[in-house]
Amino acid sequence: MSEHLLEVKDLAVSFSSYAGKIRAVRGVSFHLDAGETLAIVGESGCGKTVTVKALMKLYGNSAAFIEEGSSILFKGQEVVTMNNKELSKLRGEGIGMIFQDPMTSLNPTLTVGYQIAEGIRFHDKSVTKAEAEKRAAELLALVGIPSPEERIKQYPHQLSGGMRQRVMIAIAIACNADIIICDEPTTALDVTIQAQVLELLNELKEKTNKAFILVTHDLGIVFDFADRIQVMYAGVILERGTKYELFDDPHHPYTWALLNSVPSKQSQRKGSLYSIQGTPPDLMMDIKGCPFADRCDYCMPICKERMPQEIAITESHGVSCWLEHSMAPKVKAPAAGGEE
Amino acid sequence: MKKYVSIVLALVLVLGMLAGCGQKQEEAPAAPSTPSTPATPSTPSTPSEPVKPAEPEGIVVNGETIDKEQYLNVVGSDEPGTLDEFHNSVAATGNILSNLFTPLVRNMDGVLVGDGCESWETSEDGLTWTFHLRDNYWQDGTPVTAQDYVYSAQMKLKPETAFPYAGNWYLIKNGQAINEGKMDASELGVTAPDDKTVVIETEYVVPSLLNTLTFYPQKQDHYEKYGEKYGTEADTMLSCGPFIITDWTHNSSITLEKNEKYWDAEHVYLEKVTVYSIAEPTTSYNMLDNGSVDYLAVADNDYIERFTAREDLVNTRVQLARTFMWFFNMKDKYFANEKIRKAITVAFDRDATVEVLLGGVPIKAKGLYTHVMYEGDYNIREYDGDLIQAMVDKYPDPAALLQEGLNEVDGTKAADWTFKAGFGSTGSKMKEQAEYWQDTMIKKLGIKGVELSFDDYAIAMDGWQTGNFQVACLSWGSTADTAYMLNLFTTKSNAIPVHFDNPEFDELVNTLNKTVDPAERMKIVQKGEDIIITQNCLVCPISYNCNNVFEYKYVRGVDRSPFGNSSYKTVYTVGRP
Amino acid sequence: MAKYIIKRILYMFLVLFIVVSTTFIMIHSIPGDPLTATVENLPEATRANYYARYGLDQPLMVQLFRFWKLFLTEGSLGESLKFPGRLAEEFIVKYAPISFQLGIWGLVIGVTLGMLLGINAALHKNKLPDYFGTFVALLGTCIPAFVLAALVQYFFTVKHKWFPTAGWGGAIYYVLPVLCMTLSPVATYCRYMKSSVLDVINQDYILTAESKGLPRGKIIWRHVMRNTLMPIVTMLAPSVAGLLGGSFIIESMFAIPGLGTYFVKAINSRDYTMVVAMNFLFTATYVFSLLVVDLLYLVIDPRVRLEVKQNRRAVASNVPSEN
């Protein structure tokens, strides 16, 4: 078996809280190869952000921890057991991250130049301050910020939201990370700016051989950007596949629902947008069966009893749903609204 | 209480500049022979035995070989505001001045000893005093002259000097007129017929003049050289007394060193005295505790207990001429009634106040005058007896007496009656005392209650003087002048604002002022106290204040003059560790 | 920027004038005078002489006018009543530095320790350092200065004669007073720093910094500290201003010739001149420190800098339209 750039196996992440353990990610496995883009899709709180943060053990001040038995192999190295020094190297050099809200993700009291150069200088001690600044300016130019020499001396509040997100991108790619994680990179931006940022990301993708992980709840941007998609729900992956497989031939009722809830000309014409009834399960609880069972229009008794195994549709397309079982009734996906 | 005591102590010391009284209780009551017999010229004696020629083993005083290193550390309570005697209005100044200057006469442990003068005499009518100066020199080598004494006295009464204590000097002839700007200062009854003679004339007979006022010399040209700045720093001072001031770290400490030019330098043993300005009692207690100071007046019960247990400390109780009292507003509807005043005075629980609330330090009051006041040879307190006890015996049922009084006023039932008591302190100890008294008044008189109010002293006094009170509490110090206390209650005086208006009493005080014979005077004083306490009960005396001094056993010769400021002139140490 | 500063300074003088004048009127209106508390036998003539000498016989407004005239023409705050012959400003010049020296030591040590404890508590929330910090903060808040001073004095000068009880001189006299003055800032700043750090540490940009691979120390130093400084600086200004006045309790406890004791004595003895002068000093230092804080904001927080510029522009553009 050829070695992937990133190989995640049975990753489970929990938070300890006064009320008990919150099991945010309940065993997900996936892999990523150089140059490809993986999108993780799901509604808020499904564990997608926690999953990607876990890839570089980035919990900030929260009480999150990776459960035993999890494995994250980056270039064959186990991330879960990394010490602080190894982690420092992994972050920035191995994996870079772009956060959701550029308004709050930059330190208001430091110049953007400093914030870009800081990582560069930390990872390569031989770089002088001047060189790092020069590099920062180049990066700003690369992410499409005009007059970068001036901009590096400016503070975040002097930049617009879109520009700040570009700065964030510059920070993420500053140390030539192999994987760039984009955590809802456009959610907090204006629609016009969203497009520009996505375009920039696309450009970067083409120019470099970096692997991208896109975390989003917005299926609209996924198709343009991602190679492969995996759908997460309540801390587990329900369906995975290439974007074509997922968009053209979705197998999981949740994926159907997701695709249906994307605004399209069709749905607009009908005057209503599909919304999934109910709420996701409480993550403090043990979930015996399929986590989506309670909200699923096609729920069967088995669904509430046991979690289905992933069934491979093709080599790249897999789905965890009892409907795929030979004994299950054949159900046709409702007309999807995602395709145009 | 601590705060209150410190205020009281401060007041004591302020007054101390003019007077002060102490008596070692432990010593035989055959107290200081005749502290205020003026006619006897004092022997310019040395307070202790002649010093033997210095021997290798050291100087011997009173049969003891004194320590080689002679120094003293004391606490001078507050920071002297200024060492300019004309502008001083704070406590600690008097004691320092007494070490820097030669008063005409110095009260040393109760005995009047000529310091600036060699001898003195009084005229037949008791109004004129003549002092013969001795040869003494200022620090700069110039002689101290009679003019220096005259200058000082005149300055004190000149209106433009604005000497805060000028009122006490009104007993000097023309003093009041000068202070009121009606007469020139040269008319003052302090004159210098020649360089070596000072003549003092008084407005009325003041047998205890030398315990009442302290006459210091002041060198005019030196004083004028510094003007406003005189007395503000150590180097503006010019001494002629036993010590000179060498350092003054404001609000921290004053250093005195022996003045070799002083006429009696031979009998000054201390080379250096450090007087700390410590405002916080706890700090001074700690300083005594660890030996940073050599003696100290202690007012806090816990510390008194602690220090009493120490074997290396001697406890001395120094009684002061200060009376702690309640006083009544004669203008008030209820307190104009004598029976009501008496009922409260009788009901007052002095035993518990002294023993419990005040830690047994003060002495239970028996009348207006304290035990340290003398009229000639007569101890006023012994002569007059216990007026308070007599009143208590006479009215065994104060509640009934009160009701009688109330019936005379408006027939209010005692059970419905309350009165207001004001206090010139906001300290917790004062409150504790007041609440105790409130309680006993309610219990003993069966009244509904006592309204207590606490104010800063100046604010409270302001209200009392305008007659806005029923009962108020204060402590008042007396000078050695027996007329002083009586004068407080004359019609024109508003010092203790009882608003007592009695021509007969005014006349009595007037007579006293003209009387020379001690026996006669004693009778008048007795009559006066009878009017104030027994007949009218203007005040309800509580206790007589005392300084509770703890002193290390190696300290000798501390001067506890009943009146006047103690100097460190006679102090020395034997066996300081 | 210069315009902004000049405006602030003018404003500062206005506040100073109003506060000091108000104090002047208020302190003169309290019943009692400098003589009441100390002189028992006080004939009217003597009181009148005294009033005349110090100008207290004049109407209050005349006195106030004289006060400002004296200040503006001679730069003097007047002669002390309790300490005759000494000018109020002499006290300030001479004793404020002593109070300030002590205070600045107390504050520097206290704030440093407090901040360290606070940061440590925040970084180890619900662990030992956090409990320790909370404990210290609680102690510092609960123990009044005089109790602490009394304890410290007893322990270090009576029980163990390691330090002089009271007085002023060499470095050794600093130790206990400074120790006593440290506890309160330790407590305050520990608490404050903890909440401030907790607040900052949960900010998104800290996660950004972490994602760059920066080690914890560097993140705290570069990203957390700077952003926690704002509230600290805001608090620091009045603290520093207060230092000049000194701590009455500590100074009187250790017989330190600072301004604190003078101030309290001045109020008790109705030393009008001193009260007004002290008030002048406090107000002046306070408003000045506020100005300094505002300027510090400019340095620390670039956002404020921009606002000032924008305001200026706004003001500038408003002027013609108003005309």
Side-chain angles (χ1 to χ4, degrees):
Chain A
M1 170 181 144
S2 71
E3 195 179 81
H4 298 292
L5 178 60
L6 180 75
E7 174 128 36
V8 177
K9 263 209 187 105
D10 299 327
L11 175 66
V13 185
S14 301
F15 294 84
S16 32
S17 78
Y18 286 114
K21 200 162 84 168
I22 300 166
R23 299 178 54 207
V25 178
R26 300 172 171 233
V28 300
S29 303
F30 59 91
H31 64 86
L32 187 68
D33 289 315
E36 72 169 343
T37 301
L38 171 70
I40 302 178
V41 181
E43 60 194 287
S44 311
C46 72
K48 54 194 194 296
T49 300
V50 178
T51 306
V52 291
K53 282 184 177 167
L55 300 183
M56 50 207 280
K57 287 175 84 174
L58 195 63
Y59 310 122
N61 206 34
S62 67
F65 60 95
I66 297 177
E67 298 274 5
E68 259 177 67
S70 307
S71 159
I72 302 166
L73 289 175
F74 175 75
K75 289 186 171 170
Q77 270 184 303
E78 181 54 73
V79 174
V80 176
T81 54
M82 273 188 182
N83 60 26
N84 285 341
K85 212 175 154 190
E86 291 164 331
L87 269 179
S88 269
K89 206 167 148 58
L90 172 75
R91 297 170 182 171
E93 278 180 59
I95 307 175
M97 187 153 177
I98 300 163
F99 293 90
Q100 182 171 356
D101 188 355
M103 309 307 272
T104 58
S105 297
L106 287 170
N107 189 329
T109 60
L110 295 170
T111 63
V112 296
Y114 178 87
Q115 296 189 55
I116 300 168
E118 170 179 58
I120 300 172
R121 291 195 65 198
F122 175 74
H123 287 289
D124 186 352
K125 302 279 194 283
S126 66
V127 178
T128 65
K129 206 176 163 187
E131 283 167 2
E133 256 177 38
K134 197 167 153 250
R135 176 106 178 83
E138 287 166 14
L139 281 163
L140 283 186
L142 184 68
V143 297
I145 291 181
S147 52
E149 268 79 19
E150 279 169 40
R151 291 294 184 188
I152 55 168
K153 293 192 189 78
Q154 289 186 324
Y155 291 91
H157 64 269
Q158 290 165 294
L159 306 180
S160 68
M163 290 231 253
R164 288 191 217 181
Q165 195 60 304
R166 288 171 192 266
V167 172
M168 284 304 296
I169 294 169
I171 289 174
I173 63 175
C175 298
N176 290 317
D178 299 293
I179 301 173
I180 306 292
I181 299 170
C182 309
D183 184 9
E184 310 246 12
T186 57
T187 312
L189 300 174
D190 287 348
V191 185
T192 47
I193 312 290
Q194 279 186 9
Q196 289 172 13
V197 170
L198 280 175
E199 200 176 313
L200 171 66
L201 287 174
N202 259 329
E203 250 174 63
L204 284 173
K205 215 174 99 179
E206 280 157 27
K207 278 189 206 162
T208 60
N209 193 33
K210 289 183 196 306
F212 280 76
I213 299 177
L214 174 70
V215 173
T216 184
H217 64 273
D218 183 359
L219 278 174
I221 69 169
V222 170
F223 191 79
D224 293 336
F225 191 62
D227 300 322
R228 289 193 291 122
I229 300 172
Q230 54 197 31
V231 178
M232 267 189 89
Y233 184 83
V236 293
I237 294 171
L238 295 182
E239 184 165 9
R240 73 175 87 226
T242 65
K243 60 179 172 184
Y244 301 108
E245 287 165 343
L246 266 260
F247 273 82
D248 295 344
D249 183 23
H251 277 244
H252 200 285
Y254 180 62
T255 317
W256 302 340
L258 271 186
L259 289 170
N260 267 336
S261 59
V262 174
S264 66
K265 282 173 195 148
Q266 247 179 334
S267 63
Q268 273 162 11
R269 227 171 284 136
K270 270 190 261 168
S272 70
L273 201 55
Y274 180 82
S275 70
I276 306 167
Q277 296 300 312
T279 49
D282 185 352
L283 292 177
M284 298 247 253
M285 301 295 194
D286 269 332
I287 304 169
K288 260 202 293 180
C290 169
F292 189 63
D294 284 343
R295 301 169 77 187
C296 186
D297 293 340
Y298 313 97
C299 180
M300 301 175 290
I302 183 76
C303 293
K304 296 197 175 185
E305 292 303 319
R306 280 177 58 192
M307 179 70 196
Q309 292 286 316
E310 187 178 281
I311 291 163
I313 313 286
T314 67
E315 195 188 333
S316 56
H317 191 177
V319 64
S320 304
C321 183
W322 285 115
L323 288 176
E324 299 302 318
H325 197 266
S326 50
M327 286 163 72
K330 292 291 167 250
V331 178
K332 238 188 105 97
E339 43 193 305
E340 287 180 52
Chain B
M1 174 66 195
K2 205 184 289 171
K3 194 175 167 192
Y4 186 71
V5 163
S6 64
I7 290 169
V8 168
L9 280 178
L11 290 170
V12 169
L13 284 160
V14 169
L15 202 87
M17 203 198 97
L18 315 154
C21 189
Q23 182 180 9
K24 284 192 184 180
Q25 283 191 322
E26 292 163 357
E27 284 178 0
S33 54
T34 52
S36 50
T37 308
T40 333
S42 81
T43 37
S45 70
T46 52
S48 42
E49 281 176 14
V51 177
K52 289 179 186 168
E55 287 162 29
E57 62 269 22
I59 303 164
V60 176
V61 181
N62 289 336
E64 287 181 305
T65 306
I66 69 172
D67 294 334
K68 273 224 173 64
E69 258 190 283
Q70 287 291 325
Y71 62 91
L72 186 73
N73 298 316
V74 292
V75 166
S77 77
D78 209 352
E79 153 89 352
T82 172
L83 290 178
D84 179 346
E85 58 167 332
F86 308 136
H87 293 141
N88 159 56
S89 64
V90 288
T93 311
N95 273 325
I96 303 291
L97 293 181
S98 136
N99 288 291
L100 299 182
F101 295 99
T102 47
L104 280 173
V105 172
R106 198 182 276 282
N107 183 329
M108 291 170 67
D109 246 346
V111 185
L112 288 168
V113 180
D115 193 11
C117 76
E118 243 162 4
S119 64
W120 70 89
E121 64 257 355
T122 322
S123 65
E124 279 291 305
D125 61 2
L127 293 170
T128 307
W129 301 63
T130 308
F131 299 86
H132 306 287
L133 303 193
R134 67 168 86 245
D135 291 336
N136 190 31
Y137 295 92
W138 290 99
Q139 211 178 328
D140 64 2
T142 56
V144 177
T145 65
Q147 284 78 17
D148 296 336
Y149 286 94
V150 174
Y151 176 69
S152 169
Q154 286 182 354
M155 279 295 282
K156 282 177 174 143
L157 286 155
K158 276 186 186 170
E160 54 276 25
T161 308
F163 176 49
Y165 293 100
N168 289 326
W169 289 67
Y170 281 9
L171 57 84
I172 304 285
K173 193 180 160 196
N174 298 334
Q176 182 166 5
I178 292 166
N179 194 235
E180 286 170 355
K182 292 173 188 157
M183 225 182 246
D184 190 75
S186 59
E187 306 279 326
L188 186 70
V190 179
T191 49
D194 61 62
D195 278 359
K196 289 281 167 200
T197 311
V198 175
V199 176
I200 296 174
E201 294 163 89
T202 55
E203 283 280 346
Y204 51 88
V205 176
V206 189
S208 56
L209 176 71
L210 298 178
N211 276 325
T212 304
L213 298 179
T214 310
F215 299 91
Y216 287 127
Q218 189 62 252
K219 199 169 149 71
Q220 187 173 359
D221 53 0
H222 179 85
Y223 184 81
E224 284 170 359
K225 184 177 140 200
Y226 285 97
E228 299 273 284
K229 293 283 144 202
Y230 175 83
T232 58
E233 300 295 338
D235 55 13
T236 63
M237 300 301 293
L238 185 71
S239 300
C240 60
F243 296 93
I244 57 173
I245 179 169
T246 54
D247 180 69
W248 184 4
T249 305
H250 287 289
N251 241 357
S252 193
S253 67
I254 286 178
T255 309
L256 303 176
E257 279 173 35
K258 184 178 173 178
N259 179 8
E260 296 296 343
K261 293 206 175 76
Y262 177 60
W263 69 270
D264 200 20
E266 198 186 358
H267 296 108
V268 178
Y269 307 109
L270 292 171
E271 292 296 334
K272 187 176 161 187
V273 180
T274 309
V275 184
Y276 293 101
S277 309
I278 307 287
E280 178 57 46
T282 315
T283 306
S284 43
Y285 301 154
N286 283 338
M287 289 179 84
L288 180 72
D289 208 340
N290 65 19
S292 304
V293 294
D294 299 319
Y295 60 83
L296 183 75
V298 180
D300 186 285
N301 293 353
D302 295 339
Y303 282 94
I304 290 174
E305 217 169 278
R306 178 181 171 86
F307 293 140
T308 308
R310 290 265 300 253
E311 299 222 322
D312 50 351
L313 289 170
V314 187
N315 187 5
T316 312
R317 207 155 282 185
V318 183
Q319 214 191 120
L320 305 168
R322 176 162 283 274
T323 309
F324 187 37
M325 61 180 119
W326 274 15
F327 63 95
F328 307 108
N329 184 1
M330 302 279 286
K331 274 191 189 158
D332 183 80
K333 181 176 156 194
Y334 293 104
F335 288 90
N337 184 288
E338 173 203 320
K339 285 177 181 156
I340 295 178
R341 297 197 298 268
K342 281 184 178 164
I344 286 176
T345 308
V346 169
F348 201 97
D349 189 349
R350 283 170 196 76
D351 289 311
T353 301
V354 168
E355 289 310 320
V356 182
L357 296 176
L358 302 173
V361 174
I363 292 158
K364 206 172 111 180
K366 294 173 177 166
L368 186 63
Y369 285 97
T370 60
H371 290 88
V372 294
M373 294 296 291
Y374 282 83
E375 183 64 72
D377 285 340
Y378 303 101
N379 179 302
I380 299 179
R381 197 66 277 137
E382 279 169 25
Y383 191 93
D384 284 5
D386 191 340
L387 302 182
I388 304 296
Q389 192 56 48
M391 203 187 297
V392 171
D393 293 343
K394 188 173 169 192
Y395 304 106
D397 185 358
L401 184 62
L402 176 75
Q403 190 56 58
E404 262 181 61
L406 286 172
N407 289 342
E408 282 170 26
V409 181
D410 61 0
T412 311
K413 288 270 161 290
D416 298 329
W417 189 67
T418 60
F419 70 90
K420 291 179 194 150
F423 300 87
S425 162
T426 50
S428 60
K429 289 280 186 175
M430 182 81 255
K431 284 183 178 153
E432 181 190 317
Q433 290 172 30
E435 277 159 17
Y436 178 79
W437 294 332
Q438 179 186 40
D439 206 42
T440 53
M441 283 298 153
I442 293 170
K443 272 188 201 143
K444 287 202 180 172
L445 294 175
I447 57 175
K448 190 177 166 199
V450 183
E451 275 178 55
L452 307 175
S453 68
F454 303 89
D455 281 301
D456 165 90
Y457 183 75
I459 293 176
M461 194 59 177
D462 197 73
W464 302 339
Q465 281 179 338
T466 53
N468 182 23
F469 75 104
Q470 287 188 309
V471 177
C473 175
L474 54 60
S475 120
W476 201 275
S478 169
T479 67
D481 178 8
T482 49
Y484 179 90
M485 280 312 254
L486 296 184
N487 265 309
L488 297 174
F489 298 97
T490 56
T491 307
K492 61 176 184 185
S493 169
N494 196 26
I496 297 179
V498 290
H499 305 290
F500 182 53
D501 195 350
N502 185 329
E504 187 203 343
F505 178 75
D506 292 352
E507 188 47 43
L508 185 80
V509 174
N510 218 7
T511 321
L512 177 68
N513 289 345
K514 288 178 194 140
T515 312
V516 184
D517 178 51
E520 281 298 307
R521 286 179 64 89
M522 187 57 243
K523 279 180 189 152
I524 299 171
V525 167
Q526 186 188 25
K527 186 106 187 293
E529 197 180 15
D530 181 64
I531 292 174
I532 292 171
I533 303 293
T534 312
Q535 291 182 27
N536 290 296
C537 196
L538 304 180
V539 299
C540 157
I542 301 166
S543 63
Y544 304 137
N545 297 33
C546 278
N547 265 352
N548 196 40
V549 177
F550 284 91
E551 177 179 293
Y552 278 96
K553 281 187 171 159
Y554 54 76
V555 181
R556 302 279 188 280
V558 175
D559 172 20
R560 300 194 205 291
S561 338
F563 292 99
N565 299 298
S566 59
S567 72
Y568 309 117
K569 184 181 164 181
T570 51
V571 181
Y572 57 94
T573 62
V574 176
R576 179 196 281 272
Chain C
M1 193 75 77
K3 203 167 167 184
Y4 169 76
I5 294 169
I6 288 168
K7 209 174 99 190
R8 291 307 307 257
I9 289 172
L10 286 178
Y11 178 66
M12 195 175 102
F13 280 116
L14 183 71
V15 169
L16 187 65
F17 176 79
I18 293 172
V19 170
V20 172
S21 297
T22 312
T23 315
F24 191 95
I25 292 167
M26 279 165 59
I27 185 73
H28 278 83
S29 311
I30 301 179
D33 62 34
L35 299 178
T36 319
T38 47
V39 184
E40 288 178 338
N41 185 14
L42 190 67
E44 270 318 301
T46 307
R47 191 188 288 263
N49 291 338
Y50 185 85
Y51 274 41
R53 182 177 191 271
Y54 293 101
L56 301 173
D57 51 344
Q58 301 292 318
L60 197 48
M61 285 302 147
V62 176
Q63 292 186 44
L64 179 62
F65 175 74
R66 283 185 177 177
F67 168 78
W68 283 113
K69 196 181 144 199
L70 184 71
F71 177 69
L72 295 174
T73 53
E74 294 174 35
S76 171
L77 294 168
E79 183 185 352
S80 164
L81 304 181
K82 187 178 153 82
F83 305 96
R86 292 156 80 187
L87 296 170
E89 66 270 19
E90 290 174 12
F91 285 90
I92 292 175
V93 170
K94 206 164 166 188
Y95 304 119
I98 293 176
S99 293
F100 192 72
Q101 265 178 37
L102 266 190
I104 205 83
W105 276 110
L107 194 69
V108 165
I109 298 174
V111 170
T112 314
L113 271 177
M115 282 170 70
L116 288 177
L117 279 176
I119 295 170
N120 212 18
L123 296 182
H124 300 93
K125 200 160 175 284
N126 296 330
K127 295 201 186 108
L128 194 65
D130 185 19
Y131 299 134
F132 180 70
T134 312
F135 177 68
V136 170
L138 201 70
L139 275 190
T141 320
C142 295
I143 300 185
F146 68 92
V147 173
L148 178 72
L151 282 175
V152 163
Q153 193 178 58
Y154 179 73
F155 191 78
F156 290 109
T157 76
V158 179
K159 188 123 185 158
H160 303 282
K161 297 178 187 179
W162 293 340
F163 293 97
T165 315
W168 193 239
I172 194 153
Y173 288 95
Y174 278 74
V175 179
L176 298 185
V178 167
L179 180 67
C180 293
M181 294 179 98
T182 304
L183 188 64
S184 164
V186 164
T188 315
Y189 287 90
C190 173
R191 254 185 357 217
Y192 223 82
M193 200 65 193
K194 183 183 154 189
S195 70
S196 194
V197 167
L198 278 181
D199 181 48
V200 170
I201 218 164
N202 287 323
Q203 296 287 327
D204 288 346
Y205 56 77
I206 299 303
L207 215 54
T208 309
E210 263 182 66
S211 79
K212 292 179 205 171
L214 299 180
R216 203 164 171 79
K218 207 169 164 85
I219 290 171
I220 287 158
W221 182 245
R222 263 332 231 178
H223 292 267
V224 177
M225 285 299 281
R226 205 180 164 103
N227 286 286
T228 51
L229 280 184
M230 289 285 284
I232 299 289
V233 166
T234 314
M235 280 183 32
L236 213 51
S239 307
V240 172
L243 292 186
L244 283 178
S247 156
F248 160 65
I249 290 155
I250 306 290
E251 285 180 12
S252 87
M253 204 62 202
F254 292 98
I256 293 160
L259 264 191
T261 38
Y262 282 108
F263 190 42
V264 174
K265 282 180 191 167
I267 293 176
N268 288 338
S269 61
R270 298 286 186 284
D271 188 341
Y272 304 130
T273 324
M274 287 290 279
V275 172
V276 172
M278 299 278 188
N279 182 262
F280 190 105
L281 173 75
F282 294 153
T283 314
T285 43
Y286 189 72
V287 290
F288 180 71
S289 69
L290 289 185
L291 178 74
V292 171
V293 167
D294 282 354
L295 296 182
L296 270 181
Y297 280 169
L298 291 183
V299 178
I300 297 177
D301 195 334
R303 281 169 293 191
V304 180
R305 238 175 287 164
L306 188 76
E307 254 169 56
V308 171
K309 274 187 196 152
Q310 282 167 347
N311 281 347
R312 201 181 51 190
R313 240 177 265 140
V315 168
S317 61
N318 273 345
V319 172
S321 69
E322 271 169 3
N323 294 344

